[in-house]
Amino acid sequence: IAGITQAPTSQILAAGRRMTLRCTQDMRHNAMYWYRQDLGLGLRLIHYSNTAGTTGKGEVPDGYSVSRANTDDFPLTLASAVPSQTSVYFCASSANWGNTEAFFGQGTRLTVV
Amino acid sequence: GESVGLHLPTLSVQEGDNSIINCAYSNSASDYFIWYKQESGKGPQFIIDIRSNMDKRQGQRVTVLLNKTVKHLSLQIAATQPGDSAVYFCAENIGAGGTSYGKLTFGQGTILTVHP
């Protein structure tokens, strides 16, 4: 069972470019999340989806967009990347919205230069 | 804004010792408090949670204590092993009725190093 799969594993991106981070889960979880992790700041919620077809803004949504066309996929798009978006991005899912146990992917290390 | 934070950024212990990782929180509306473990190069992994109406919960080799009077949360790991070396995050889950309902808010993390 794969759980949460993120792609790519790492990426170096030129500032101003558009980038989509992919996230797929095979657990049929209703809720999905995108976090960014920066040293000293822990994990911060970017966007979330509590069920397919709905999304919401987290703590740091500016510069990012998401979509949830189906249960399994939850891509995160950076429309025009900036250096401050250099971070490690984690996708996660939980069976239902509000569950305390979330399952995380391996992360995508993104460097914007 | 209200947040979850940690007292100590690093903790070093000898294999076999017990470890205690502490966390302070400020949001009294939190419904659950949770501990996650993150090993190097991996995503966080759920360890244990405790509901706000409890003061203690035990799992396999771990115990979480909640002191609502002083808004303090701790994770105790018994007989710490080298495989326990990781970053430990406390997190909170806001209960229904708040604008942050259902969202996990993470603290900054404590690095636990276990020496053989």
Side-chain angles (χ1 to χ4, degrees), chain B residues 19-92:
Chain B
S19 301
I20 300 176
I21 301 171
N22 297 301
C23 176
Y25 68 92
S26 57
N27 192 338
S28 299
S30 297
D31 197 30
Y32 279 92
F33 298 91
I34 312 106
W35 284 100
Y36 277 81
K37 171 187 180 182
Q38 185 176 24
E39 297 176 21
S40 181
K42 298 183 178 180
Q45 180 180 13
F46 175 90
I47 302 173
I48 191 169
D49 64 9
I50 185 168
R51 192 160 187 177
S52 59
N53 62 356
M54 300 172 64
D55 53 20
K56 181 179 180 180
R57 190 176 184 202
Q58 289 185 293
Q60 186 177 14
R61 280 202 307 121
V62 296
T63 300
V64 56
L65 298 178
L66 177 62
N67 185 331
K68 293 180 286 295
T69 302
V70 295
K71 296 184 179 179
H72 185 266
L73 181 72
S74 68
L75 177 71
Q76 300 178 0
I77 305 174
T80 315
Q81 303 166 0
D84 294 326
S85 294
V87 179
Y88 288 80
F89 293 94
C90 61
E92 60 180 344

Side-chain angles (χ1 to χ4, degrees), chain A residues 23-84:
Chain A
C23 175
T24 299
Q25 53 107 352
D26 63 2
M27 297 174 282
R28 306 301 294 171
H29 283 174
N30 286 313
M32 297 189 75
Y33 317 84
W34 274 106
Y35 289 88
R36 60 176 289 173
Q37 185 173 36
D38 303 291
L39 190 64
L41 294 174
L43 289 140
R44 293 182 292 169
L45 183 64
I46 305 171
H47 283 287
Y48 64 91
S49 168
N50 53 18
T51 190
T54 66
T55 63
K57 294 181 179 180
E59 183 184 357
V60 288
D62 294 344
Y64 306 95
S65 64
V66 291
S67 61
R68 186 89 184 277
N70 57 60
T71 297
D72 298 343
D73 301 301
F74 191 45
L76 175 74
T77 298
L78 289 68
S80 179
V82 295
S84 63

Side-chain angles (χ1 to χ4, degrees), chain A residues 37 40 90 97-98 100 102 104-105, chain B residues 36 38 43-44 49 89 93 101 108:
Chain A
Q37 185 173 36
F90 287 99
W97 181 248
T100 57
F104 285 78
Chain B
Y36 277 81
Q38 185 176 24
D49 64 9
F89 293 94
N93 184 312
Y101 166 64
Q108 294 182 348

